[in-house]
């Protein structure tokens, strides 16, 4: 919710800096431990910023050519806030809890014919499909390298899509076998 | 549990996968062998209702699978060759717990039962790990754990060791052929596993060519195709 809020209304310096401070404080609290106190949170925050260096570069650099400096930093800060808050959220929230929360949140929609358990299942499967698709990309890349090709997105798109569709097909069969009515 | 197929025909468009087969099986370990495309996987899928016969009747444990697919699936768990396909939830614990989603057990009871099952399969230390980070052998054990927790009467395994190394093949084979109390239908290309069953059914070109003593059926199969 915070991520959405900051992404949508974060169009001034105060909210952007506020978001950054909020993310920083949440990192300190989330990663606090008995032996090192708040140091591990500080390290995690620094690490998260370091991991985002290319994202920051990709978002910031083109804007420096077309926008005023303040606007470019404002837009980059908004993205940075959203990603940092999203990553602290995913680092501190178990998928099972998230799935249960989604299911509960959808309960009022049951009157309108929405099946909350189906919505949460779709979410769980989406989370689950990410490593599979990453694996397909790695496999296709490797197969193309083995054939002496230089893997490019254009060359990889079709085999990855085919593998994903085949996976979806077989996965639906596996769901049926586990008693899920798709 | 009695597995009965009466004049079952399965056709996909113009291709006939199974051609009016009739068979009755009640052995505890049933091996199914045959070349690729011979109809053995279609046979396995019929038992769980994943494939519906074009004509004829499939009855497992007295249940007409086409008429009461839900009940048929409840009593017969299915294990695929690719364990990645069977993982529904993000972590090991959640995936096994997913099998109990429609049970009336409390949260604590579910937790206790899942942990007991994970311990039985040697996965207790991996409970909170992402399921996709497991090795292929561990994933297959997870898939079996997720099926066994519901205590089905029959387990249908379609080439469960196809993607596993020797050590994991041995572990999964021991489980399916020796340790599990359930009846098992094992579709396999591994003749050493087929030989350990109580009976072997050999498929060829959509028909059952032979049913009988595992060593005899396997020996004949190897003479023709090895």
């Amino acid at each position: 919710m915070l991520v959405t809020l900051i992404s949508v209304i974060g169009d001034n310096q105060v909210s952007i800096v506020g978001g950054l401070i909020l993310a920083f404080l949440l990192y300190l609290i989330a990663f606090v431990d008995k032996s090192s106190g708040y140091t591990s949170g500080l390290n995690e925050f620094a690490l998260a910023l370091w991991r985002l260096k290319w994202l920051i570069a990709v978002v910031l650099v083109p804007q420096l050519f077309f926008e005023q400096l303040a606007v470019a930093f404002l837009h980059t800060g908004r993205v940075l806030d959203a990603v940092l808050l999203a990553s602290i959220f995913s680092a501190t929230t178990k998928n099972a809890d998230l799935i249960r929360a989604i299911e509960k949140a959808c309960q009022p929609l049951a009157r309108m014919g929405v099946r909350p358990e189906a919505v949460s299942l779709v979410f769980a499967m989406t989370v689950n499909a990410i490593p599979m698709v990453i694996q397909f990309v790695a496999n296709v890349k490797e197969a193309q390298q083995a054939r002496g090709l230089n893997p490019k997105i254009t060359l990889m798109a079709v085999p990855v899509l085919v593998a994903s569709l085949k996976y979806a097909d077989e996965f639906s069969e596996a769901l049926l076998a586990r008693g899920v009515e798709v | 549990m009695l597995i009965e197929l009466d004049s079952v025909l399965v056709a996909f468009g113009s291709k006939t996968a199974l051609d009016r087969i009739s068979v009755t099986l009640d052995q505890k370990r049933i091996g199914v062998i045959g070349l690729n495309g011979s109809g053995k996987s279609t046979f396995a899928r019929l038992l769980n209702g994943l494939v519906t016969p074009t004509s004829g009747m499939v009855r497992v444990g007295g249940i007409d699978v086409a008429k009461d697919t839900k009940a048929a699936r409840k009593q017969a768990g299915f294990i695929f060759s690719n364990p990645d396909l069977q993982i529904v939830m993000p972590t090991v614990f959640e995936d096994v717990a997913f099998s109990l989603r429609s049970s009336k057990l409390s949260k604590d009871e579910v937790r206790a039962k899942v942990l007991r099952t994970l311990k039985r399969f040697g996965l207790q230390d991996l409970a909170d790990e992402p399921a996709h980070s497991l090795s292929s052998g561990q994933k297959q054990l997870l898939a079996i754990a997720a099926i066994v927790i519901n205590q089905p009467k029959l387990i249908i395994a379609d080439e469960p060791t196809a993607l596993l190394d020797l050590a994991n093949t041995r572990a999964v084979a021991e489980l399916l052929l020796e340790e599990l109390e359930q009846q098992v239908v094992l579709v396999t290309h591994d003749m050493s596993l087929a030989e350990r069953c109580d009976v072997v059914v050999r498929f060829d070109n959509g028909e059952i060519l032979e049913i009988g003593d595992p060593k005899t059926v396997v020996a004949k199969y190897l003479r023709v195709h090895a």
Side-chain angles (χ1 to χ4, degrees), chain A:
Chain A
M1 214 162 80
L2 273 170
V3 175
T4 317
L5 204 64
I6 284 170
S7 306
V8 174
I9 64 161
D11 60 351
N12 61 64
Q13 286 153 340
V14 176
S15 64
I16 300 300
V17 174
L20 201 60
I21 292 169
L22 179 65
F24 175 70
L25 291 174
L26 287 173
Y27 264 88
L28 287 189
I29 297 164
F31 293 99
V32 68
D33 69 48
K34 281 177 188 169
S35 57
S36 58
Y38 292 108
T39 317
S40 61
L42 199 64
N43 290 340
E44 286 293 333
F45 186 72
L47 196 66
L49 280 178
W50 178 248
R51 284 192 192 121
L52 293 173
K53 61 185 181 295
W54 294 115
L55 178 73
I56 296 169
V58 166
V59 176
L60 181 64
V61 173
Q63 291 189 77
L64 292 175
F65 294 102
F66 305 109
E67 300 279 4
Q68 289 175 345
L69 199 62
V71 176
F73 275 104
L74 197 70
H75 288 167
T76 310
R78 188 193 291 182
V79 173
L80 190 62
D81 281 357
V83 175
L84 282 172
L85 287 167
S87 58
I88 190 78
F89 178 74
S90 59
T92 55
T93 311
K94 279 186 179 177
N95 282 318
D97 295 335
L98 191 56
I99 289 161
R100 265 194 294 274
I102 290 171
E103 199 169 327
K104 272 191 180 166
C106 291
Q107 290 293 353
L109 299 176
R111 285 183 210 150
M112 294 157 69
V114 175
R115 287 164 54 208
E117 72 282 1
V119 177
S120 63
L121 183 63
V122 168
F123 178 80
M125 288 189 300
T126 308
V127 171
N128 227 14
I130 294 167
M132 289 308 298
V133 175
I134 291 171
Q135 186 63 48
F136 295 151
V137 172
N139 290 349
V140 169
K141 196 174 167 187
E142 209 170 51
Q144 293 188 347
Q145 281 170 335
R147 293 183 64 186
L149 299 168
N150 186 17
K152 292 177 194 155
I153 290 177
T154 46
L155 274 177
M156 289 169 66
V158 173
V160 169
L161 188 66
V162 169
S164 302
L165 290 173
K166 190 169 179 284
Y167 167 71
D169 220 25
E170 292 172 339
F171 186 62
S172 70
E173 200 177 38
L175 279 177
L176 284 174
R178 288 190 71 176
V180 177
E181 299 299 326
V182 187

Side-chain angles (χ1 to χ4, degrees), chain B:
Chain B
M1 200 159 62
L2 201 61
I3 296 169
E4 301 164 277
L5 273 75
D6 183 16
S7 203
V8 171
L9 171 82
V10 179
F12 300 110
S14 59
K15 191 183 177 297
T16 303
L18 286 180
D19 195 2
R20 291 182 181 81
I21 61 166
S22 296
V23 65
T24 303
L25 300 159
D26 66 351
Q27 293 83 350
K28 198 167 181 196
R29 300 289 183 254
I30 301 164
V32 180
I33 61 171
L35 299 178
N36 289 336
S38 60
K40 55 190 190 311
S41 286
T42 306
F43 166 74
R45 281 166 162 73
L46 277 170
L47 306 180
N48 186 270
L50 289 172
V51 169
T52 311
T54 310
S55 67
M57 191 183 62
V58 180
R59 196 182 289 146
V60 178
I63 294 173
D64 185 333
V65 178
K67 280 187 182 157
D68 196 353
T69 312
K70 207 171 175 179
R73 285 191 183 136
K74 212 169 181 179
Q75 68 171 0
F78 199 101
I79 297 161
F80 294 79
S81 54
N82 184 356
D84 278 317
L85 293 175
Q86 300 161 84
I87 299 168
V88 178
M89 300 302 270
T91 71
V92 171
F93 180 92
E94 291 162 12
D95 193 63
V96 178
F98 177 76
S99 299
L100 299 173
R101 71 199 177 284
S102 45
S103 72
K104 300 268 187 284
L105 298 175
S106 70
K107 207 174 159 184
D108 288 342
E109 286 169 327
V110 167
R111 184 171 174 76
K113 194 168 179 184
V114 170
L115 290 176
R116 247 191 342 264
T117 307
L118 289 178
K119 195 174 178 191
R120 179 181 176 192
F121 291 90
L123 298 168
Q124 70 274 25
D125 295 336
L126 302 167
D128 293 323
E129 295 295 314
H132 282 290
S133 70
L134 268 54
S135 71
S136 297
Q138 288 168 332
K139 281 180 196 169
Q140 198 59 288
L141 289 177
L142 170 63
I144 298 172
I147 298 294
V148 168
I149 198 166
N150 278 333
Q151 296 166 314
K153 292 178 188 158
L154 170 69
I155 291 178
I156 308 149
D158 188 5
E159 299 182 42
T161 59
L163 301 177
L164 306 184
D165 62 22
L166 278 177
N168 284 313
T169 294
R170 197 179 305 131
V172 170
E174 278 303 306
L175 199 62
L176 291 174
L177 295 174
E178 306 292 339
E179 292 170 28
L180 292 180
E181 59 274 17
Q182 283 90 349
Q183 187 180 20
V184 174
V185 172
L186 175 67
V187 178
T188 185
H189 285 294
D190 187 333
M191 293 305 119
S192 66
L193 300 187
E195 279 184 335
R196 290 169 62 185
C197 293
D198 299 325
V199 66
V200 166
V201 183
R202 180 182 160 199
F203 277 84
D204 188 73
N205 206 19
E207 292 175 4
I208 292 178
L209 204 63
E210 203 172 6
I211 303 175
D213 170 62
K215 288 209 186 314
T216 314
V217 176
V218 167
K220 272 190 194 172
Y221 178 66
L222 290 175
R223 265 205 301 280
V224 177
H225 295 293

